[in-house]
Amino acid sequence: MRKIIFTLLVVMMVFTLGIMESFAQEETVFSGNLRMGYKKLYNDAAEEWMDDGLSLHFLELWVRKQVGDFGIFVNQRIGDANNNYLWEGQIYYNIPNSLGKLNIGLVRVPFGIYANGLYYPKGILYDKNWMWDRDYGITYEGKFQLSDTLGIDAAAGFLTNQNGSGELGAFTVEHPDCAPCTGENNNISGRVGADITMEDALALKVGGSVQTGKLMREDAEDDTKLGIAGDVTVDLNMLPVPVSVWGEFVNYSLADIDAAKGNILGAQLNITSPAGMEIGPIGKMILSLHLSQDMPKDDALSSKTALIGQLRLIMHKNFNIFAQVFGNSVEGADGLLDKGVRVWLMYIF
């Protein structure tokens, strides 16, 4: 018996040393970016422009390592005012035979169009936590090419709890019958999409998403969170200037009352400079025009429309400039609210 135990221990030690040696031989990739921000915002209450300012936004550090089919990825943010937190971090496993990928940790929530290429602000879909969301849990991602023109992608996840308390404001409804949200957990989220490519002329992406989970309220029973979305993206590659258009529709319910239900519409136009057209140090330019609208089911609540224009300049040596103008149109209010100008400077290393 002792010989068997000793043999097993030796085998385990050799196996462990083999894994450690493999990790030591594989390269660990360190990268990241440094971001600075300039802002000039309008004070709606005082009806005047506030003082402008330039400050550090984030130092973002990335670490990635993969050995065989297993890997890790960590994205840590270090910001001003001691605003430091983990943005994304997971262990992942590439399933053999190209059957997809499993992620566990702080992962991307599979729902709708995940990212829209805007810096900040990003629009109502982001503000309401239906875009660019990351929570703790496990996700599956898979892409399957059925033919030269058709591909299918699927993603699903179980999320145990939200990433930060700041996200809970998206689920707090200004209504006396809906207490403030104090937590979100046990979300099930998924998306199925189809990619259709018509040679070099046109690329079409369509998808459908569902997300449901629990929202905890102060001194109240948990509410059921439900979101249903459809999205479409069209890339018009036959044009002299590359043009991409996307749209998304989300029907949401955060509680039983009408004040917590509604629809969100989002649309964006992206125009990219032609390949090879460089102007001095500018290698590429992308103009984005964004519109998104939140329409509550309760007629007593006002609808809100977000308007954003962004010009992104991709310079040589990994330097990016994002210049934005933005404002919100609220039903019943005169002019644009929460308007301003922001310029973000990002150096990727």
Side-chain angles (χ1 to χ4, degrees):
M1 186 65 177
R2 290 181 178 178
K3 291 183 178 180
I4 296 176
I5 294 175
F6 178 77
T7 303
L8 290 175
L9 288 174
V10 171
V11 171
M12 290 177 63
M13 291 178 62
V14 171
F15 180 72
T16 303
L17 290 174
I19 293 178
M20 294 175 64
E21 182 181 0
S22 297
F23 267 93
Q25 291 176 353
E26 295 291 334
E27 181 184 5
T28 302
V29 179
F30 296 92
S31 57
N33 60 75
L34 177 65
R35 313 179 185 188
M36 304 291 291
Y38 166 84
K39 64 181 179 180
K40 181 73 173 179
L41 306 179
Y42 189 79
N43 187 325
D44 296 322
E47 297 184 347
E48 62 181 12
W49 288 94
M50 295 185 286
D51 293 337
D52 57 358
L54 177 67
S55 62
L56 169 71
H57 191 211
F58 284 115
L59 170 63
E60 200 169 57
L61 301 176
W62 305 335
V63 181
R64 185 185 298 274
K65 187 181 185 73
Q66 181 171 326
V67 177
D69 294 323
F70 287 91
I72 60 170
F73 173 70
V74 176
N75 182 342
Q76 176 72 27
R77 284 186 168 181
I78 303 172
D80 57 356
N82 199 30
N83 190 15
N84 308 324
Y85 56 90
L86 180 66
W87 174 257
E88 190 174 345
Q90 68 245 194
I91 299 172
Y92 61 87
Y93 171 61
N94 293 318
I95 304 174
N97 301 318
S98 300
L99 294 179
K101 180 182 176 183
L102 291 175
N103 309 281
I104 184 168
L106 181 53
V107 296
R108 299 182 178 188
V109 177
F111 185 89
I113 296 175
Y114 180 74
N116 58 8
L118 301 181
Y119 193 97
Y120 186 82
K122 303 179 186 295
I124 291 177
L125 287 166
Y126 171 81
D127 294 341
K128 295 291 184 178
N129 230 43
W130 297 109
M131 176 182 279
W132 229 305
D133 188 20
R134 300 147 319 282
D135 289 337
Y136 286 97
I138 182 170
T139 60
Y140 164 81
E141 303 170 347
K143 292 187 177 182
F144 309 95
Q145 195 65 35
L146 303 184
S147 67
D148 293 338
T149 59
L150 177 62
I152 299 294
D153 59 269
F158 175 75
L159 299 316
T160 58
N161 61 286
Q162 77 286 342
N163 177 24
S165 59
E167 299 178 2
L168 301 178
F171 310 129
T172 297
V173 182
E174 296 181 4
H175 193 279
D177 294 335
C178 191
C181 184
T182 60
E184 176 196 11
N185 57 20
N186 297 339
N187 269 353
I188 298 174
S189 187
R191 180 183 181 275
V192 176
D195 298 345
I196 303 171
T197 304
M198 300 178 183
E199 297 181 348
D200 296 329
L202 179 71
L204 175 66
K205 298 180 181 180
V206 295
S209 306
V210 175
Q211 184 179 139
T212 183
K214 290 294 182 181
L215 298 175
M216 294 172 282
R217 306 280 184 187
E218 288 184 357
D219 302 323
E221 294 184 2
D222 293 351
D223 284 322
T224 298
K225 172 189 176 185
L226 176 64
I228 301 174
D231 62 83
V232 58
T233 302
V234 182
D235 296 326
L236 303 174
N237 301 322
M238 81 288 285
L239 300 178
V241 177
V243 174
S244 176
V245 182
W246 67 255
E248 185 169 357
F249 170 83
V250 177
N251 175 264
Y252 66 87
S253 173
L254 308 177
D256 290 336
I257 59 174
D258 286 348
K261 300 177 181 179
N263 299 303
I264 298 175
L265 293 175
Q268 187 168 306
L269 169 68
N270 299 312
I271 303 174
T272 305
S273 59
M277 190 190 83
E278 298 184 2
I279 303 175
I282 303 174
K284 181 186 290 187
M285 296 180 291
I286 304 174
L287 175 64
S288 300
L289 302 176
H290 175 94
L291 180 149
S292 50
Q293 186 175 35
D294 182 24
M295 298 170 290
K297 185 177 180 180
D298 191 336
D299 295 334
L301 299 178
S302 300
S303 63
K304 177 181 176 182
T305 303
L307 303 169
I308 305 169
Q310 174 181 282
L311 178 62
R312 179 181 181 183
L313 305 178
I314 302 175
M315 320 287 278
H316 299 314
K317 298 182 180 180
N318 300 330
F319 184 57
N320 284 233
I321 300 176
F322 302 80
Q324 287 188 340
V325 292
F326 53 88
N328 296 324
S329 175
V330 179
E331 184 181 8
D334 296 330
L336 290 179
L337 303 177
D338 304 317
K339 59 187 176 184
V341 177
R342 279 193 172 108
V343 180
W344 305 99
L345 311 174
M346 176 191 292
Y347 181 77
I348 303 172
F349 56 86

